[in-house]
Amino acid sequence: MSKLLRVGVLASGGGTNLQAIIDRCQDGSLSAELVVVLTNKPGVGALDRASEAGIPTLCIDHRGFSSREAFDQAVVTALQDAGVELVVLAGFMRIITQVFLDAFPQRIINIHPALLPAFPGLHVQQQAIDYGARFSGCTVHFVDGGVDTGAIIIQAVVPVLPDDTADTLATRILEQEHRVYPQAIQLIADGRISIAGRQVIITPEIPTKPVALVNPAISDRSSRDQ
Ligand code: GRF
């Protein structure tokens, strides 16, 4: 078996993305090993999911630190001690400082529940609904110094439906998150990803079907005439 990518997952909440990654590692479809799951909050679901899977856990409570940098340094040290090669943010509700970025250059990825660059930040499912967007989705991207601004690795699109609430839209988006996040990690594990400016290059290229999605659906002329 080829060498597994040593992944550290950072989470602050329930950890359904963490679970999807655990599941893919366990079924052998993801060539990664979760070497640590770290949270900034005690008692969150992500810690239970990791323990259940036999993954080492660590809680570093950000409230015990006088600055973001001091907190990040403690997190960096813990990740380095665990031999982490790729940092995966999965619902980690802290802004990353330069201390963290410098320790893991182009080695930190995040998943965001909107189609970036639309709707960065928080409460983005409600924002997409309020804006009247017809599509939303999720984005896996490298983390840089901005909020949800790094180079994009993969996106999935879902329609926004007329009776959607933030919760129903979030559920539909999460289903896609659980598919694309392991896929992005696998591409990195396989050494297929490089970054050129804002572009993420995948080698060899993955053929993409040039299929357009339309919402609300339209029928073309031929079907209208029938
Ligand atoms: C997801 O919607 C993710 O996109 C965002 O935080 C949420 C985490 O959910 N960054 P979970 O803890 O993985 O269930």
Side-chain angles (χ1 to χ4, degrees):
M1 194 170 63
S2 61
K3 188 179 163 294
L4 298 175
L5 180 71
R6 294 177 67 84
V7 170
V9 175
L10 270 53
S12 304
T16 65
N17 277 287
L18 167 67
Q19 189 65 54
I21 296 164
I22 290 172
D23 292 348
R24 295 288 79 76
C25 288
Q26 287 180 343
D27 72 16
S29 60
L30 181 50
S31 323
E33 180 187 1
L34 299 189
V35 292
V36 66
V37 169
L38 192 154
T39 73
N40 63 312
K41 280 187 184 173
V44 295
L47 290 170
D48 297 334
R49 292 178 190 272
S51 299
E52 178 78 13
I55 299 162
T57 61
L58 206 51
C59 176
I60 302 181
D61 193 331
H62 63 278
R63 291 171 299 188
F65 294 83
S66 56
S67 68
R68 286 186 194 279
E69 285 76 12
F71 170 71
D72 275 6
Q73 188 52 61
V75 171
V76 163
T77 302
L79 295 172
Q80 287 171 338
D81 287 350
V84 165
E85 297 170 305
L86 177 70
V87 181
V88 171
L89 308 185
F92 186 61
M93 303 301 283
R94 303 292 302 165
I95 291 176
I96 300 292
T97 68
Q98 200 61 41
V99 170
F100 204 154
L101 294 169
D102 289 345
F104 291 94
Q106 299 190 341
R107 286 272 135 185
I108 310 171
I109 60 173
N110 182 46
I111 190 156
H112 181 73
L115 284 181
L116 292 171
F119 310 122
L122 296 175
H123 312 300
V124 296
Q125 297 90 350
Q126 189 62 53
Q127 282 190 56
I129 291 169
D130 291 346
Y131 193 88
R134 295 293 188 178
F135 288 102
S136 189
C138 56
T139 304
V140 180
H141 62 92
F142 284 99
V143 174
D144 64 9
V147 176
D148 303 319
T149 51
I152 292 171
I153 302 169
I154 186 169
Q155 293 185 302
V157 177
V158 305
V160 179
L161 303 180
D163 54 357
D164 259 335
T165 63
D167 280 348
T168 58
L169 179 57
T171 301
R172 196 173 314 113
I173 293 172
L174 262 181
E175 274 176 35
Q176 299 308 313
E177 295 186 34
H178 300 161
R179 297 175 64 212
V180 300
Y181 218 3
Q183 166 75 359
I185 297 167
Q186 184 62 46
L187 289 170
I188 293 169
D190 287 339
R192 293 180 62 185
I193 297 270
S194 58
I195 309 176
R198 283 215 54 87
Q199 315 298 319
V200 168
I201 316 287
I202 302 173
T203 318
E205 206 174 294
I206 300 172
T208 300
K209 287 188 199 134
V211 183
L213 302 174
V214 181
N215 180 29
I218 50 170
S219 48
D220 60 26
R221 173 177 270 281
S222 53
S223 55
R224 268 207 317 271
D225 289 348
Q226 280 165 13

